Amino acid sequence: MRHTELLLTILVLMFTRTSETCTSRFNITAVRGEPFYLRYCSSGSERKDETVAIRWYKGSGPHGRTELRSSISPRISLHDYVLEFWPVELEDSGSYFFQMGNDTHEWKLNVIGKSKHSCFAEKQLISKTVEVQKSLHINCKHPYYEELAHRISLYKNCEKMENNKNPVLQKNAEFEDQGYYTCVFFVPYNGNLFNVTKTFNVTVVGDRSKIIPVLLGPKVNHVKVELGKDVELNCSALANEKDAVYWNVWEENGKEPNVHEENITRTRTSDGKLYASRILRIENINEKNLNFSYNCAVASEGGTDTISFVLVKKEDMVDIPGYVFTRGMIVAVLISVVVVCLVVIGVIYRVDLALFYRHFMRKDETLTDGKTYDAFVSYLKECGPENGEEHTFAVEILPRVLEKHFGYKLCIFERDVVPGGAIVDEIHSLIEKSRRLIIVLSKSYMSNEVSF
């Protein structure tokens, strides 16, 4: 039983070690001049097949690959699932491929450099925010190079920290602890000593649990009241747990007897904010209570905030005098009647108004439309007794009214057309030259004999 437990423990440790050191991300960033590695993440169910070849490649060109071997460069070391750089340089940036049988995994490596006078790369930082007086813990751990390093040191702002034998920082944070903390792992390889860095950007902030209290609402509030009635003034604040909210209602002669201050109530919302409120109740309001400033304040270690409430007498509603209302109604009726009359006149005399507008504005849009006539009159031209009335209407009445009275120009076939031409072509041409077509419609006009 104990042997089984020991075997399970060893398997768990091996799987944990593999999961910690393998490189699962596609985009990888490395620092120039430091050792670096890529490790294929094999699952726990995968077993290494001795007959399957493992190869590493680097991308060259759009679709090309170059196989990597330890003999190509003394900086490159291959160990089955691991590709090591001693150290990595800028020209090592690019795509890398791990191939085992038919399985292929790809990484995108980007090598960056450090600033000239800096011990760390600014693009390779681990941000850490700590509240003041809370625990600041920095532990120099590395999943791959920690076991290979023979010495580990901790630096702050690129200066080695004194009295720090262990690469661990554990203390209550102060504002002066803010800065860049760099863990340096000194790793020997082939007679050379390499540095692997891991840098934390530590920011120390104030206690987030405490806020500066603030009262809600305008600084001065005018409250309209009625004499003899009661009123409640609510003073609410966004505050801390132990902040005091109180009313300042004392006069020179002492506190007013009809003014009562109730106990403070605190409510915490779902997002963690604390609201405190205190009500001042004034009963049977009298003249002494008017125009007096009732001040409410909230006080804490971070500061004090104050707002004021002033009671003013509510003015009685002033009724509109009867004669003003009557005059207003008469004026409204007269305006409505005038508007209706103007609309009716406009409808009845719309033609006259249009002609007057043309004459007054000296503007006639018919002068530029290329038309000769205002309207072509179509009527039955045979002068039989049965259609004499419509002939008279078309030839005599329409010209007398539209031409002589309103100034329109009509085209009447038997008056304005010179005989001898083709009738159909002439009619079509005259209609094209006219802006409108007037048809004197009758039963004879629609008969089969003359419909053409």
Side-chain angles (χ1 to χ4, degrees), residues 209 239-241 266-276:
S209 62
N240 300 299
E241 186 70 36
R266 303 182 190 272
T267 305
R268 188 175 294 278
T269 60
S270 58
D271 57 357
K273 295 181 179 179
L274 181 67
Y275 291 90

Side-chain angles (χ1 to χ4, degrees), residues 340-350 353:
V340 172
C341 292
L342 290 176
V343 172
V344 173
I345 293 174
V347 173
I348 297 175
Y349 298 99
R350 59 184 180 277
L353 292 174

